[in-house]
Amino acid sequence: MDDLGQLEQDLLQAIADADTAAALDAVRVAALGKKGSISALMKGMGALSPEERKEKGPLFNQLKNRVESAIESRKTALETAELDAKLAGERVDVTLPARPQSEGRIHPISQTMDEALAIFGEMGFTVAEGPDIEDDFHNFTALNIPPEHPARQMHDTFYLPGERDGGPLVLRTHTSPVQVRTMQVQKPPLRIIAPGRTYRSDSDMTHTPMFHQVEGLVVDKSTHMGHLKGCITEFCRAYFEIADLPLRFRPSFFPFTEPSAEVDIGCSRKDGGLKIGSGGDWLEILGCGMVHPKVLDSCGIDSHVYQGFAFGVGVERIAMLKYGIPDLRTFFEADLRWLHHYGFAALDIPSLVGGLSR
Ligand code: DAH
């Protein structure tokens, strides 16, 4: 074999042996680079006689072409192999067991509020909201609780630094100010429900400084006490899922309603246990009444044309009763074991299915 044949064989062998892109590139430089063996042959042509050049020129060129195309096809082969290896390494093993997913729970407060909203939603109520930081006017004065009114003491108010419209800022002591805010910006007919946090400076077995209420307000030209009774009765029976739950509307007093009532549901107490739905005992669950004309007027609604009813429900209270949660304070201790026990799966979407046997 002549020198040229030997060179070609050596180069083709080196190309075949190159098992990485870097090794292949080294072979390319050694052959075709500036100081490469084939480049040297090309450069040497200048020193040849015209006859020799005519004879060797095509041979050198063919050699160069064959080496170039061998490098090119080896390069493609290496790239394909690299991709195959990568794909094989990344293959999804569908037989692997799924990673355990830790599952969150819906807090009973959220669940109870969602249930209440679902029930009132079916009755045509829409949700309204107001701020947790209120001013004296919305929390008290507009609700017919003027300064020095004894009802202010009962509210154990948290006062905040600063004031608005000449009165102190407070953490709202009830959701009733949302009634005021709604009536100030919307005109009747109104049918709203306002769930939210409320605050009172009170802490013992049955009180926490922060708790939740759901407020309701209906205002129209001919809204009357019968509507109030029907609405509350419907709600209580749907919420407790007892179609013939006994209810009692007991006369009471709130400054913002006249007449006012507290609502009791029928229950029986036996051996320290409590059963809702029958028996001769009663359990108070909410306050309500016909909106006081002064409240309508202070919100810019003509009390000679419109009248309405309102109610306020303690969320923790009805949650404890329905779900058998004995201690109020546990709601806010953020104990994951408690939440796991009393919480709800995220897919337990509240619905009325089974809620009312009608
Ligand atoms: N705001 C009252 C409270 O926190 C509850 C209440 C009673 C709300 C009667 C009302 C109502 O809307 O009409 O004690």
Side-chain angles (χ1 to χ4, degrees):
M1 193 185 292
D2 62 6
D3 291 352
L4 215 52
Q6 187 62 50
L7 176 62
E8 177 167 355
Q9 202 183 48
D10 291 350
L11 285 174
L12 293 180
Q13 189 61 50
I15 290 166
D17 289 346
D19 52 6
T20 64
L24 182 62
D25 203 52
V27 178
R28 182 187 63 79
V29 172
L32 303 165
K34 254 192 194 157
K35 294 178 182 160
S37 47
I38 294 180
S39 308
L41 289 176
M42 296 298 202
K43 270 186 211 149
M45 292 238 285
L48 299 179
S49 68
E51 292 75 34
E52 276 181 313
R53 213 179 296 154
K54 215 173 185 180
E55 183 205 334
K56 301 272 164 115
L59 293 177
F60 291 172
N61 268 331
Q62 284 158 13
L63 168 66
K64 185 176 176 226
N65 290 342
R66 283 196 295 272
V67 168
E68 273 175 352
S69 76
I71 290 176
E72 206 44 51
S73 59
R74 180 72 187 142
K75 193 172 165 207
T76 310
L78 284 176
E79 280 169 358
T80 309
E82 192 184 341
L83 187 64
D84 285 349
K86 203 169 162 212
L87 287 178
E90 283 175 0
R91 199 182 51 197
V92 175
D93 182 353
V94 293
T95 65
L96 276 179
R99 280 193 204 105
Q101 281 203 342
S102 61
E103 209 181 75
R105 307 291 283 176
I106 304 286
H107 195 284
I109 297 284
S110 307
Q111 172 79 13
T112 301
M113 291 215 277
D114 287 352
E115 288 178 22
L117 296 192
I119 295 166
F120 285 115
E122 286 244 318
M123 294 190 215
F125 283 76
T126 53
V127 173
E129 281 182 313
D132 288 19
I133 295 178
E134 262 303 358
D135 51 51
D136 191 80
F137 177 77
H138 290 91
N139 197 80
F140 294 121
T141 308
L143 289 163
N144 194 29
I145 315 176
E148 316 306 332
H149 193 288
R152 290 201 176 198
Q153 263 103 62
M154 283 167 51
H155 279 222
D156 302 308
T157 311
F158 283 114
Y159 287 92
L160 299 173
E163 58 171 55
R164 195 189 293 153
D165 300 332
L169 290 176
V170 300
L171 287 178
R172 67 178 178 193
T173 57
H174 49 181
T175 40
S176 303
V178 185
Q179 291 186 32
V180 177
R181 290 189 174 275
T182 304
M183 288 191 279
Q184 283 177 325
V185 296
Q186 291 177 40
K187 292 306 149 206
L190 294 174
R191 200 182 287 186
I192 58 116
I193 202 83
R197 291 185 176 153
T198 49
Y199 307 83
R200 292 185 197 176
S201 177
D202 204 352
S203 183
D204 58 35
M205 274 281 283
T206 52
H207 298 88
T208 50
M210 189 278 295
F211 56 103
H212 299 76
Q213 292 186 338
V214 171
E215 189 84 12
L217 173 70
V218 174
V219 182
D220 207 342
K221 284 185 177 151
S222 56
T223 306
H224 56 69
M225 192 90 185
H227 296 131
L228 164 62
K229 290 183 77 174
C231 176
I232 299 292
T233 303
E234 177 97 356
F235 167 72
C236 291
R237 291 183 173 165
Y239 173 74
F240 287 106
E241 300 179 27
I242 302 173
D244 57 355
L245 177 68
L247 269 90
R248 182 170 78 171
F249 288 75
R250 185 167 36 76
S252 183
F253 172 80
F254 300 103
F256 33 91
T257 44
E258 182 58 38
S260 304
E262 278 171 318
V263 175
D264 301 334
I265 55 173
C267 67
S268 60
R269 293 184 178 86
K270 235 184 265 158
D271 312 322
L274 178 76
K275 189 172 178 302
I276 291 170
S278 54
D281 291 327
W282 296 99
L283 190 71
E284 182 204 320
I285 63 156
L286 62 89
C288 60
M290 299 306 294
V291 181
H292 198 294
K294 281 191 178 173
V295 175
L296 294 171
D297 290 332
S298 66
C299 299
I301 291 180
D302 187 348
S303 60
H304 295 290
V305 181
Y306 292 104
Q307 49 193 16
F309 68 81
F311 53 88
V313 192
V315 176
E316 285 77 2
R317 183 157 179 83
I318 61 169
M320 288 168 80
L321 291 171
K322 181 167 174 180
Y323 295 114
I325 302 171
D327 185 342
L328 171 70
R329 289 171 297 189
T330 57
F331 278 99
F332 308 114
E333 282 170 355
D335 183 336
L336 281 179
R337 295 163 305 175
W338 182 91
L339 190 55
H340 195 77
H341 183 79
Y342 287 109
F344 294 82
L347 289 178
D348 282 353
I349 296 161
S351 83
L352 290 183
V353 179
L356 260 192
S357 43
R358 26 172 196 197

